[in-house]
């Protein structure tokens, strides 16, 4: 049943050229097909497809080839593919550590940016508060000056009226 599905995929997916090679970017299929043959016990076909997949999926393919040579009892190849598998895992591990480091740095940068944004927002609020306070103080000063001016003006008018009354009283 599985071999029928594989044949159907290869004939109807339009992912293969006339030589039977899968289109670029889909090479992981060789590993999948090699693993299928490995599980089916068809070691020669499995070896063929896992070798094709090796440049694209080093860790998985070398692990599959390691299993094939263990089953065949080929110690030299077991040693070779065990080393390749170990190197591939080391590379994956190093890449994962690098990715984690990049993610940590990005998170640190995000937190630093967030703190800077919060600090700038606080500073902007304090600046608005300061300007608002100064505007209120200026308004109060203007109101006080206006009040004093009116009082002085009223006092002056009152004195002028008193003076006019005195002049009228003297004339009469």
């Amino acid at each position: 049943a599985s071999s029928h599905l594989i044949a159907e995929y290869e004939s109807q997916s339009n992912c293969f050229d006339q030589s039977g090679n899968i289109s670029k970017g889909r090479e992981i299929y060789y590993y999948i097909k090699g693993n299928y043959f490995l599980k089916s016990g068809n070691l020669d076909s499995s070896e063929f497809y896992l070798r094709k997949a090796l440049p694209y999926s080093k860790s998985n393919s070398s692990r599959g080839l390691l299993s094939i040579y263990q089953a065949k009892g080929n110690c030299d190849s077991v040693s070779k593919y065990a080393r390749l598998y170990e190197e591939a895992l080391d590379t994956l591990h190093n890449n994962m550590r690098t990715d984690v480091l990049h993610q940590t740095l990005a998170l640190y940068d995000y937190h630093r940016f967030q703190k800077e944004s919060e600090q700038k927002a606080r500073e902007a609020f304090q600046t608005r508060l300061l300007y608002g306070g100064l505007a209120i103080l200026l308004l109060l000063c203007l109101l006080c000056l206006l009040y004093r001016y009116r009082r002085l003006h009223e006092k002056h008018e009152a004195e002028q009226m008193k003076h006019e009354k005195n002049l009228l009283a003297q004339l009469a």
Side-chain angles (χ1 to χ4, degrees), residues 2-23 26-34 36-37 45 48-49 52:
S2 298
S3 59
H4 171 70
L5 293 174
I6 290 173
E8 185 178 333
Y9 174 73
E10 289 177 358
S11 65
Q12 296 182 11
S13 68
N14 295 325
C15 294
F16 295 87
D17 63 18
Q18 292 180 351
S19 303
N21 297 316
I22 198 157
S23 58
R26 299 173 185 258
E27 292 88 356
I28 193 70
Y29 174 74
Y30 295 135
Y31 165 73
I32 294 168
K33 192 169 182 181
Y36 163 74
F37 283 126
S45 295
F48 174 77
Y49 285 105
K52 271 185 116 168

Side-chain angles (χ1 to χ4, degrees), residues 127-141:
T127 302
R128 283 192 307 265
L129 198 60
L130 177 67
Y131 287 147
L134 287 175
I136 289 172
L137 186 63
L138 182 63
L139 183 63
L140 287 174
C141 287

Side-chain angles (χ1 to χ4, degrees), residues 107-125:
L107 189 59
Y108 170 76
D109 287 343
Y110 172 75
H111 285 303
R112 189 186 62 178
F113 174 75
Q114 189 176 24
K115 284 182 180 181
E116 287 174 1
S117 286
E118 289 170 358
Q119 179 64 28
K120 286 180 181 178
R122 276 193 300 274
E123 288 172 2
F125 175 74

Side-chain angles (χ1 to χ4, degrees), residues 31-82:
Y31 165 73
I32 294 168
K33 192 169 182 181
N35 200 39
Y36 163 74
F37 283 126
L38 179 63
K39 302 289 184 200
S40 303
N42 190 344
L43 300 183
D44 292 334
S45 295
S46 177
E47 181 180 356
F48 174 77
Y49 285 105
L50 289 173
R51 282 184 184 281
K52 271 185 116 168
L54 195 57
Y56 310 104
S57 176
K58 199 169 201 167
S59 64
N60 291 328
S61 298
S62 56
R63 183 183 56 185
L65 288 165
L66 176 62
S67 297
I68 290 170
Y69 291 118
Q70 281 176 331
K72 288 183 174 181
N74 187 336
C75 293
D76 290 339
S77 293
V78 166
S79 175
K80 174 185 175 183
Y81 287 104

